[in-house]
Amino acid sequence: MEQVAVMQNIFFGRKISKIFDLKGSLRGRFTRQGNVEKEKKSSKKKNKHYRRSKSDNTTSDSDSFSSCDEDDDDTLSTSSGGIEKDEKATSNNADKGEKAEKSESISTLLDGDFLEFTNGRPLPLTDRAKAVFHMSILNDTLFLSIINVLDYSILVGIDEEKMELVVGIIDFMRQYDILKQMERVGKSLPMVVGSEAPTIIQPPLYKARFTNAMERYFMTVPSKWTTI
């Protein structure tokens, strides 16, 4: 018999630009999407550099451009019908492009992508938000550790409109049973000395690693109302 767990959609009604699934471990926690974004950024930089070099090589002065614009006023007014058709065509193409962008789903990034997004620095939070976030992490992970649950992660979404983080712990259904113990032993055998521990460890150790990672990923930014 199949079992289905229904969870609340914490991103409902939000304009989420980026989604991260954080476990507190960097072992195998990097997606291909991060490499794709790197390539896009590098290609944009190359295109900007090419456009700048191309504009530097032009020899036309500004007076010639302005005179052409003034002389073309009559031709633009007489051919307004054609211009309107072109504008409608371009607007339709723009609407199609916007619909296509909306239909594309946002890929979920991992710990390595998060550190790359923040350039290795913690993500700043207000003192109030950091206090609530820290207390929620401690309470939830303590409860999950007591009932012998591990392999959970925190889902982080960045809301661009409200400039807020939307967070929630997910994947808290896996208990540390005999299968997980065998998986931990199997992943630990090929490891060399000094390498990072596998993602599957005992629940108390998993809790400690998770909470320590959240302290590294997020930091408090004091304001004028912050008490010292």
Side-chain angles (χ1 to χ4, degrees), residues 19 91 99 132 151 172 224-225:
I19 300 176
S91 62
K99 290 180 181 178
V132 174
D151 207 22
F172 46 82
K224 60 181 180 180
W225 295 284

Side-chain angles (χ1 to χ4, degrees), residues 20-132:
F20 297 96
D21 185 344
L22 307 177
K23 282 184 179 291
S25 174
L26 295 177
R27 187 181 177 88
R29 301 287 296 168
F30 196 85
T31 62
R32 294 181 179 179
Q33 183 66 23
N35 295 329
V36 172
E37 290 182 355
K38 273 186 182 179
E39 294 176 357
K40 288 182 179 179
K41 289 180 181 178
S42 62
S43 62
K44 286 181 180 179
K45 289 181 180 179
K46 289 180 181 178
N47 292 334
K48 287 181 180 179
H49 179 70
Y50 174 74
R51 285 196 295 267
R52 286 177 182 174
S53 61
K54 191 175 180 180
S55 61
D56 293 338
N57 293 329
T58 56
T59 57
S60 301
D61 55 3
S62 59
D63 294 336
S64 61
F65 284 112
S66 60
S67 63
C68 288
D69 293 337
E70 290 174 358
D71 293 336
D72 289 340
D73 287 342
D74 296 335
T75 57
L76 289 175
S77 60
T78 54
S79 59
S80 60
I83 293 173
E84 288 179 359
K85 290 180 181 179
D86 294 336
E87 288 178 351
K88 288 180 181 179
T90 53
S91 62
N92 290 334
N93 293 331
D95 294 337
K96 291 179 181 178
E98 290 177 0
K99 290 180 181 178
E101 290 179 356
K102 291 180 180 179
S103 61
E104 292 180 357
S105 59
I106 303 174
S107 59
T108 302
L109 305 176
L110 304 179
D111 294 67
D113 307 302
F114 179 80
L115 293 179
E116 188 176 82
F117 172 71
T118 60
N119 295 323
R121 296 188 292 267
L123 197 66
L125 300 176
T126 62
D127 52 351
R128 172 63 179 167
K130 181 63 168 61
V132 174

Side-chain angles (χ1 to χ4, degrees), residues 4-12 152-153 155 168-173:
V4 179
V6 180
M7 302 178 62
Q8 180 186 5
N9 182 11
I10 62 175
F11 297 151
F12 179 76
Y152 47 85
S153 59
L155 192 66
I169 291 184
I170 59 172
D171 299 338
F172 46 82
M173 307 294 291

